[in-house]
Amino acid sequence: MLKLHIIEGPGKGKIYDLKKDTTSVGRSASCDVRINDRAISARHLKFIRTSEGVFLEDVGSTNGTYIKGELVIPGDRVPVGEGDPIAIGNTLICIDSGFRVDGTLVLHTPNLKHQTGKSSDMTWMLDRPMTNPRNLQLIYRVSHVLTESLDIHEILEKIMNCLFESLSRVDRCAILLLDDDKGDVSEIISRSRRQPSETKIVYSRSIVDRVIREGMPILVQDTSNEDEIELSDSLKSLRIRSVICVPLISRSHVRGAIYADTLDIPHGFRKEDLYLLAGLSSPAAIAIENALLYANLEKMIESRTRTLQETERRLRHSEARFRAIFENMQSGVIVCSMDESGQTPSVLDMNHAAEEIEGKRRESVIGKPLLETLPVYERLGIRDLIKTVWATGKSQHLPPTLLEDQGSSAWRQCDIYRLPSGEMVTLCDDVTEKVLAEEEQQELQGKLLRSQKLESIGRLAGGVAHNFRNILQAILGNAEYLEMIDGDNEEVLEVVRNINNSVNKGVDLVNSLLRFSNRGENLEEVILDLAEVIRETYRITTRMFDKRIRINLELEDKLFIVGNRTLISQAFVNLLTNARDAMPNGGEVRISGRKIKKRVVVHVSDTGHGMDKVTEERIFEPFFTSKEVGKGTGLGLSTVHGIVEQHHGSISVASKPGKGTTFRLAFPAVDDVGESQRGEPSKVIQFGKGQKVMIVDDEKVTLDAMAAQTRALGYEVFALEKSTECLKEFLAWKPDVVLMDRDMPGMDGISCIKEILKADKGAKIVIVSGYEASWFDPVHDSIGDLIKGYLTKPCGMEALGQALDWALREEALHLGVGV
């Protein structure tokens, strides 16, 4: 028995027997085969069975009947074979027991699940062949036009123009795009035929959302047929009568939708309009997507261009900044490129400092080999450093190096680096001033050390001098006392003279120790003829010289200077002695002196063994000597240096080993003012008249000697060895003058003086000490004006007599008594 099979659509899978010769099919309950499909007419078609076969006749359906994709003309009988696909509405059927596909496969869309009732006015598009040549031509023309532009606005306007041209009854139209990331649908262009000024329309979101969600087009011909379809509130409120909406599909993805509607007029669109719009949607979707991609690309290019421009601006600014740093660096900077072998650096650039240091213009060296253009770097030994840096990538430092060229000299310091780009950078500094400053600083430090050494030696010398002078005081005092009591005995006088000479030598030795440390006694200075002093020194020293040593004098007359005769004489004695010791096998000493402008210049030269640079640099240091142990104190030349400086002069030495030595001395010259102001003062001894003198000293030998000297001068003496008994004895004996030692155990001299002055403000006190008067402690300046004198040991009877006389004479002057 012949059967009818429902392949797709409502009632899918159902099978009906075709028992009658004529079987009616439709949606109505009166039909033999009832199919509940809204797109099927109430009475859609009928099957007629004859001896010639089975035929199909469309009885005037609304949506038509298709066999193998071909439309059946209503009223015509069309033969139907077993398995031939028959499309009616949204339903696919066939006759016989099975379904086979021959020819064109019919595709269709699923139903809207929520729709119920009749659907004579809603059509779900079936994908049928487009056979209308006009529509094909229109689709081709539109597709061609869309491919001519990539401007999104131009494309949208063309699509909109095409829609309003093709759909004559459309009132409003919009193109909507889907944002895949957010899931939102946005209207990108819209148009209204009634109100052209409108740029936005209100559309049915429910239809648009469903088309986008399901990817199938929808056509609603009449929204007023409420008994057949449930419509959204927006369709009712907006009075939309016909709606057509197709998806925009590109590369199997829904990109948006084309929406069109009519207002007030039902059946505004035909099925052919749906087919046309569906045919246009694909090229429109592709064109829109390409235009959007192009627009995005343009934005990306524009953004990238802005980024590149900003980067370029920053690079220019950065280059300008670093160029300013480069040009204003104090160090000379030279940038070089290297050849493949890493042997030859060529100059790429150099800054202003490098131009100044090297004396070359940048234009004259760029592009040329570094070591040929600037050979100074070759002399510095930079070639090997550059090779090392090129090979290892580690920077190298060249310490300050002396460069000498045609009488000029300079110090250079360099650092070499390798950049990540492979370029070599040389930083060079002219450190001449720095090196010279460091040398000067070292020299000053050396002078400071020498000064500190002299200070230490001076303190030591002061202590030695104090003790030694106490000894000399005892010797001198006893010798002078011996001369006073037995001066008629020639043998005694000879002994006394020898003792005095020894004491003088001891005093000279002490003064030599103190003089170079500026702690020496300020001896009286007068105008003297230096030539005369040198001749006197010559007469004294020739007796001590070997006969094989010749001394030649070449002196101008009247070489007047201001100085102390004894010290000047001692300086030349030391120089001549030094020359003698340098010529053990004989030789010649030459002394020349002349006045040059405002200076008196004397040269003392010998033909001795000379000295090297090291010795020459230390020759004036105290205790430095090149002589054997026991044959020199090392104080001779240091004493000369101190004497010359004390006289505001200068001394220098020039010597070469085996060639002899020359000393140059220069003193400020003065004009001769006559004999009355030159020479040594006469010696006068002042005697007392029995006045009472109290002597306080902890050294018994010194105390006894000074007591004997004082008695010999005509004074009554009370000698006291213990300073702690000083005040008591002073108050008991009431002396006219007190001779007080400064440093004593138990109670020092200063403390004794203070105690005495507290008891008697008019006490006359003279300090007698082994220390120089210049060593007077500033702490005790408060009693400086209260003492009557200060004697440095050893003091002879002349100095002692004058000090006592002055102390007593001051009292006499205060009392108005004549002397």
Side-chain angles (χ1 to χ4, degrees):
M1 181 179 292
L2 193 63
K3 297 181 181 296
L4 185 147
H5 300 267
I6 298 179
I7 307 302
E8 285 289 347
K12 177 180 178 180
K14 291 183 178 182
I15 302 174
Y16 298 92
D17 293 330
L18 301 180
K19 299 177 182 180
K20 299 179 181 180
D21 292 336
T22 300
T23 303
S24 60
V25 179
R27 188 161 42 86
S28 174
S30 63
C31 294
D32 297 322
V33 177
R34 184 183 179 188
I35 301 176
N36 190 18
D37 184 347
R38 298 182 187 89
I40 296 177
S41 300
R43 296 183 62 83
H44 200 98
L45 61 81
K46 62 182 178 179
F47 288 99
I48 305 170
R49 224 174 20 173
T50 66
S51 58
E52 296 178 358
V54 180
F55 295 90
L56 180 148
E57 180 183 346
D58 185 280
V59 294
S61 66
T62 301
N63 293 324
T65 302
Y66 294 85
I67 298 178
K68 296 181 182 180
E70 295 293 335
L71 180 65
V72 177
I73 298 174
D76 289 348
R77 289 188 176 186
V78 180
V80 180
E82 294 181 1
D84 289 343
I86 301 170
I88 55 175
N90 293 320
T91 303
L92 182 64
I93 63 176
C94 69
I95 60 174
D96 204 359
S97 59
F99 172 70
R100 66 182 184 277
V101 179
D102 293 328
T104 303
L105 177 65
V106 179
L107 303 177
H108 57 90
T109 63
N111 293 321
L112 295 173
K113 296 180 180 180
H114 73 280
Q115 291 180 349
T116 60
K118 296 180 180 180
S119 58
S120 59
D121 295 326
M122 175 169 281
T123 300
W124 286 86
M125 176 190 175
L126 302 178
D127 193 5
R128 303 178 177 88
M130 299 298 295
T131 57
N132 190 323
R134 177 178 175 275
N135 290 343
L136 288 174
Q137 183 179 5
L138 178 61
I139 292 172
Y140 173 78
R141 180 172 62 83
V142 172
S143 300
H144 179 71
V145 170
L146 294 179
T147 59
E148 291 179 347
S149 175
L150 287 174
D151 187 286
I152 183 65
H153 300 289
E154 184 178 354
I155 288 175
L156 293 174
E157 287 293 337
K158 287 180 179 180
I159 294 174
M160 197 63 68
N161 292 337
C162 176
L163 292 176
F164 273 82
E165 180 183 344
S166 302
L167 305 176
S168 59
R169 286 179 290 180
V170 67
D171 285 326
R172 305 185 310 166
C173 189
I175 298 177
L176 307 107
L177 292 182
L178 173 66
D179 188 332
D180 290 331
D181 296 331
K182 299 180 180 179
D184 297 336
V185 177
S186 59
E187 178 183 335
I188 61 173
I189 188 171
S190 61
R191 184 180 295 178
S192 174
R193 193 186 299 273
R194 295 183 180 184
Q195 296 180 341
S197 61
E198 287 187 359
T199 58
K200 295 288 183 181
I201 66 171
V202 181
Y203 54 87
S204 174
R205 287 190 175 273
S206 60
I207 291 178
V208 172
D209 291 342
R210 186 160 299 165
V211 167
I212 290 176
R213 183 174 64 252
E214 299 179 357
M216 298 298 293
I218 291 178
L219 170 62
V220 180
Q221 291 185 335
D222 190 355
T223 61
S224 64
N225 191 4
E226 297 184 6
D227 60 337
E228 296 183 359
I229 185 171
E230 290 185 3
L231 300 176
S232 63
D233 293 339
S234 62
L235 290 173
K236 297 176 183 180
S237 62
L238 295 173
R239 296 183 299 171
I240 297 173
R241 296 297 301 273
S242 299
V243 177
I244 187 171
C245 186
V246 297
L248 291 171
I249 300 176
S250 175
R251 294 195 290 271
S252 302
H253 287 82
V254 178
R255 308 298 183 186
I258 298 177
Y259 171 89
D261 63 17
T262 62
L263 304 176
D264 303 329
I265 302 174
H267 301 282
F269 303 107
R270 299 172 300 173
K271 289 185 290 184
E272 291 297 323
D273 296 334
L274 184 63
Y275 302 151
L276 174 62
L277 197 58
L280 289 173
S281 67
S282 181
I286 295 174
I288 290 173
E289 185 172 29
N290 289 340
L292 289 175
L293 289 174
Y294 180 75
N296 290 334
L297 180 61
E298 281 189 324
K299 290 180 180 178
M300 290 175 61
I301 294 174
E302 183 179 354
S303 176
R304 180 62 176 168
T305 301
R306 286 197 301 269
T307 301
L308 290 175
Q309 290 174 345
E310 178 62 21
T311 302
E312 183 181 3
R313 185 192 66 80
R314 289 198 301 266
L315 286 174
R316 288 198 302 269
H317 181 70
S318 178
E319 182 180 0
R321 180 172 64 253
F322 283 103
R323 171 57 67 174
I325 295 173
F326 178 76
E327 290 297 343
N328 289 281
M329 287 182 65
Q330 296 298 318
S331 298
V333 183
I334 301 177
V335 183
C336 297
S337 62
M338 299 293 291
D339 60 358
E340 295 181 356
S341 65
Q343 302 291 322
T344 305
S346 298
V347 180
L348 291 177
D349 200 359
M350 65 188 298
N351 66 351
H352 179 68
E355 291 181 315
E356 293 292 328
I357 292 172
E358 307 304 339
K360 296 274 189 176
R361 299 299 300 169
R362 184 184 333 209
E363 297 77 10
S364 65
V365 300
I366 290 180
K368 297 180 182 180
L370 172 67
L371 301 179
E372 294 180 10
T373 309
L374 300 172
V376 63
Y377 288 96
E378 184 74 61
R379 299 203 304 274
L380 286 172
I382 282 183
R383 181 187 293 274
D384 293 335
L385 293 179
I386 291 177
K387 291 180 181 178
T388 302
V389 175
W390 174 258
T392 64
K394 296 182 180 179
S395 62
Q396 294 289 321
H397 174 71
L398 179 71
T401 304
L402 178 62
L403 286 174
E404 295 182 328
D405 185 17
Q406 297 179 353
S408 62
S409 61
W411 290 83
R412 296 288 181 82
Q413 174 179 282
C414 297
D415 291 276
I416 303 173
Y417 304 88
R418 180 178 177 179
L419 300 179
S421 61
E423 297 171 340
M424 305 293 290
V425 177
T426 300
L427 273 69
C428 187
D429 290 287
D430 187 339
V431 293
T432 304
E433 292 184 1
K434 179 181 178 181
V435 171
L436 294 179
E438 289 177 351
E439 290 179 350
E440 183 179 356
Q441 183 179 11
Q442 291 176 355
E443 183 179 354
L444 291 175
Q445 289 177 344
K447 289 182 178 179
L448 177 61
L449 290 175
R450 289 193 295 272
S451 175
Q452 292 174 342
K453 183 189 297 185
L454 291 175
E455 178 71 18
S456 300
I457 294 173
R459 292 185 180 275
L460 174 63
V464 172
H466 171 263
N467 295 326
F468 193 45
R469 279 171 169 167
N470 277 325
I471 297 172
L472 293 178
Q473 179 65 49
I475 297 172
L476 180 62
N478 286 312
E480 289 188 337
Y481 180 71
L482 181 61
E483 184 180 8
M484 290 289 294
I485 63 175
D486 200 6
D488 296 334
N489 190 328
E490 188 64 30
E491 293 180 359
V492 171
L493 290 177
E494 182 64 24
V495 171
V496 170
R497 281 195 293 269
N498 290 336
I499 292 174
N500 288 337
N501 288 335
S502 297
V503 169
N504 290 334
K505 289 181 179 180
V507 172
D508 289 341
L509 177 60
V510 171
N511 291 336
S512 296
L513 284 171
L514 298 178
R515 194 167 291 114
F516 64 80
S517 61
N518 293 324
R519 295 186 180 274
E521 182 180 7
N522 293 323
L523 300 179
E524 182 181 3
E525 294 183 347
V526 296
I527 298 176
L528 51 87
D529 185 351
L530 185 58
E532 181 182 330
V533 174
I534 293 175
R535 291 189 184 99
E536 290 178 357
T537 304
Y538 162 74
R539 287 192 293 269
I540 296 172
T541 55
T542 51
R543 302 173 185 175
M544 302 182 294
F545 274 40
D546 192 317
K547 299 301 181 180
R548 293 176 296 177
I549 298 176
R550 298 183 306 278
I551 302 177
N552 295 322
L553 300 181
E554 298 177 6
L555 302 170
E556 294 181 355
D557 293 329
K558 298 182 180 180
L559 300 178
F560 294 112
I561 64 171
V562 175
N564 180 270
R565 181 181 296 273
T566 301
L567 295 181
I568 294 294
S569 177
Q570 181 182 351
F572 282 99
V573 167
N574 290 354
L575 288 176
L576 290 173
T577 303
N578 192 73
R580 179 199 65 186
D581 295 340
M583 298 181 294
N585 299 319
E588 181 180 0
V589 178
R590 180 172 173 268
I591 304 176
S592 62
R594 60 182 53 84
K595 184 178 179 180
I596 301 176
K597 296 183 178 179
K598 296 184 179 181
R599 308 282 286 181
V600 173
V601 179
V602 178
H603 290 86
V604 180
S605 302
D606 65 62
T607 58
H609 48 63
M611 65 187 91
D612 55 23
K613 281 291 183 183
V614 175
T615 304
E616 183 178 330
E617 290 176 356
R618 302 186 60 189
I619 194 68
F620 295 116
E621 292 183 11
F623 301 114
F624 174 79
T625 179
S626 59
K627 300 175 183 179
E628 298 178 9
V629 177
K631 293 189 176 181
T633 63
L635 292 173
L637 292 178
S638 63
T639 300
V640 173
H641 187 274
I643 292 173
V644 172
E645 285 195 341
Q646 187 174 346
H647 286 77
H648 309 291
S650 63
I651 182 171
S652 60
V653 60
S655 180
K656 289 184 178 180
K659 300 294 184 180
T661 303
T662 299
F663 288 91
R664 180 184 183 276
L665 295 81
F667 300 93
V670 296
D671 295 330
D672 184 19
V673 293
E675 292 291 335
S676 61
Q677 298 188 33
R678 290 189 279 126
E680 296 182 354
S682 59
K683 296 182 179 180
V684 177
I685 297 178
Q686 301 290 342
F687 291 90
K689 298 179 180 179
Q691 294 94 334
K692 297 164 65 176
V693 177
M694 181 177 178
I695 305 175
V696 185
D697 197 309
D698 64 305
E699 294 285 345
K700 189 175 187 310
V701 177
T702 303
L703 180 64
D704 292 342
M706 289 187 64
Q709 287 178 301
T710 307
R711 290 190 186 97
L713 288 172
Y715 295 96
E716 184 180 353
V717 176
F718 181 82
L720 182 62
E721 187 176 350
K722 294 181 179 181
S723 59
T724 54
E725 299 177 0
C726 178
L727 178 61
K728 182 179 70 173
E729 298 297 339
F730 175 84
L731 295 175
W733 198 54
K734 299 184 186 304
D736 297 302
V737 180
V738 178
L739 299 178
M740 179 72 70
D741 188 17
R742 178 176 174 181
D743 291 284
M744 294 178 292
M747 180 181 290
D748 64 90
I750 301 300
S751 299
C752 290
I753 292 172
K754 288 182 177 180
E755 292 294 328
I756 293 173
L757 291 175
K758 284 182 182 179
D760 183 1
K761 295 182 179 180
K764 303 175 189 58
I765 303 172
V766 176
I767 294 178
V768 183
S769 175
Y771 290 112
E772 301 286 341
S774 59
W775 279 34
F776 202 79
D777 194 338
V779 175
H780 306 303
D781 282 351
S782 58
I783 66 171
D785 295 335
L786 301 178
I787 63 174
K788 306 305 178 182
Y790 193 107
L791 290 174
T792 301
K793 298 176 183 178
C795 52
M797 293 180 65
E798 178 186 0
L800 186 59
Q802 289 179 353
L804 291 172
D805 180 66
W806 168 253
L808 293 170
R809 279 165 56 84
E810 185 183 36
E811 174 64 18
L813 290 174
H814 285 313
L815 297 175
V817 179
V819 181

